[in-house]
Amino acid sequence: MFPWETEVPVITGDNSIQINVAIAYLSANYGGGTVYLDPGVYTVANPILRKSNIKIRGAFNGSGIWDAFSSVGTIVKWTGAAGGTVFYDAPSADQKPVNNGGISDLTIDGGGIAAYGLQSLSTSYAEYRRMHCVGATSQGFYFGTTNTTIATLNYRTRLDSLSAVMTGGGNGFVLDGVPGSGRNTCFMTATNLTVAFLNGCGFALLNADDCVFVGCSASLISGGSGGAGIYFGGSSDGSGKAANANQLYGFWTNGYINSAGGTYPSRGNIVYTSCMDGKPLIYQQSGSTQNVIAVDGEPGLNGFIRNPIPPG
């Protein structure tokens, strides 16, 4: 290995200490690097705190193809207090944003007690790839910002091949920000994100602008009451919290699509979708008619501007 790379083996008990020590060492001595996690289950009782320019990579299985469910893959499992966060990418005491680097090739297991699988706050140019999240009670993957004088937007984050199973009331993917601060999640690019949700939402775009999603899906688990497959936020409390100018291409959901209203409604969002299994989707919109559903032969948009996909 290069000096700026280190391998952290699995130990019995809390693995968060040695993983965080490895991250801090590479950051202090090389300004960044890669922490490799072996196949196996890393139990952690404290959040993994990533720093700028640090990559965390799990293991591939024997065939060379990543498999989140493989017994020879890397699983990071929460064993700490209820309501915790497994991976926490956020400004530390110096309030400086976390830039570059990222996490890939592992499964996050919230153990049914961690609130968040991943929290990415005021993180820019990071990449999250080939990850699976189970057992988080609130949010699987949460992207937002911190409201400090130094912390910035969650800017130009890149997501690829992430999946989440939310069996409680949690949401799969959340894009958020601090109301009224001008700090939100923006210019994110995401491909091949999938979520199965029961009583929460698949994708909740609460405070996000100019993000692009390609080939993503949100599946309501049978028996669940379910929220929206896609929810675009809005506010009436003067906070200015809304989702604007986001685009979702090739999106599928068997939940409904909802855009909130209020004084600050979500506007200019476009969802390119299609009718699956002969079951028309349900669209609900309040307070704005400036969001577009581009859909092939599907009625009942309930307030959304209809922009049918042209034949051929």
Side-chain angles (χ1 to χ4, degrees):
M1 287 189 173
F2 293 106
W4 53 88
E5 297 178 325
T6 186
E7 181 180 356
V8 179
V10 180
I11 63 171
T12 301
D14 182 13
N15 286 262
S16 64
I17 297 174
Q18 62 168 356
I19 296 173
N20 284 325
V21 165
I23 291 171
Y25 173 81
L26 292 180
S27 178
N29 289 276
Y30 301 101
T34 303
V35 176
Y36 292 96
L37 303 182
D38 291 338
V41 179
Y42 289 78
T43 53
V44 295
N46 296 281
I48 305 303
L49 306 173
R50 196 176 64 81
K51 296 180 178 292
S52 291
N53 306 310
I54 294 291
K55 297 179 180 178
I56 300 174
R57 292 192 60 181
F60 286 78
N61 66 16
S63 65
I65 301 174
W66 178 80
D67 181 359
F69 300 97
S70 172
S71 60
V72 295
T74 301
I75 299 172
V76 181
K77 183 175 182 178
W78 182 258
T79 57
T85 297
V86 183
F87 284 94
Y88 190 60
D89 294 359
S92 54
D94 59 11
Q95 296 186 0
K96 293 181 179 179
V98 178
N99 296 319
N100 304 310
I103 306 171
S104 65
D105 304 305
L106 53 81
T107 294
I108 301 172
D109 185 348
I113 51 177
Y116 297 84
L118 165 72
Q119 278 200 80
S120 168
L121 303 179
S122 298
T123 304
S124 297
Y125 299 100
E127 296 187 351
Y128 302 95
R129 299 175 179 270
R130 298 181 298 274
M131 299 168 63
H132 180 64
C133 179
V134 296
T137 60
S138 181
Q139 325 287 358
F141 297 92
Y142 180 92
F143 303 92
T145 56
T146 54
N147 192 18
T148 68
T149 56
I150 298 177
T152 62
L153 303 165
N154 195 317
Y155 185 74
R156 294 198 181 279
T157 302
R158 184 173 181 179
L159 314 179
D160 181 45
S161 300
L162 306 185
S163 60
V165 176
M166 309 302 295
T167 55
N171 306 307
F173 296 90
V174 180
L175 277 59
D176 203 356
V178 177
S181 71
R183 300 184 176 97
N184 66 351
T185 299
C186 62
F187 298 107
M188 172 184 286
T189 57
T191 55
N192 192 29
L193 309 187
T194 60
V195 56
F197 64 101
L198 189 68
N199 298 315
C201 294
F203 290 75
L205 280 61
L206 305 178
N207 199 16
D209 297 330
D210 300 290
C211 299
V212 178
F213 297 79
V214 179
C216 301
S217 64
S219 300
L220 176 62
I221 298 172
S222 177
S225 59
I230 309 170
Y231 174 77
F232 297 106
S235 60
S236 58
D237 57 3
S239 67
K241 192 170 186 176
N244 301 293
N246 300 287
Q247 300 182 54
L248 296 93
Y249 296 93
F251 190 91
W252 179 83
T253 180
N254 61 349
Y256 59 88
I257 300 175
N258 185 23
S259 177
T263 306
Y264 300 91
S266 292
R267 298 170 182 255
N269 301 291
I270 302 177
V271 181
Y272 293 86
T273 186
S274 61
C275 179
M276 300 293 287
D277 301 325
K279 298 178 181 179
L281 295 172
I282 299 172
Y283 307 93
Q284 299 175 346
Q285 180 160 275
S286 174
S288 173
T289 58
Q290 297 187 27
N291 299 296
V292 175
I293 298 294
V295 64
D296 184 10
E298 197 168 349
L301 299 186
N302 295 344
F304 281 85
I305 295 174
R306 184 181 179 84
N307 182 23
I309 299 173

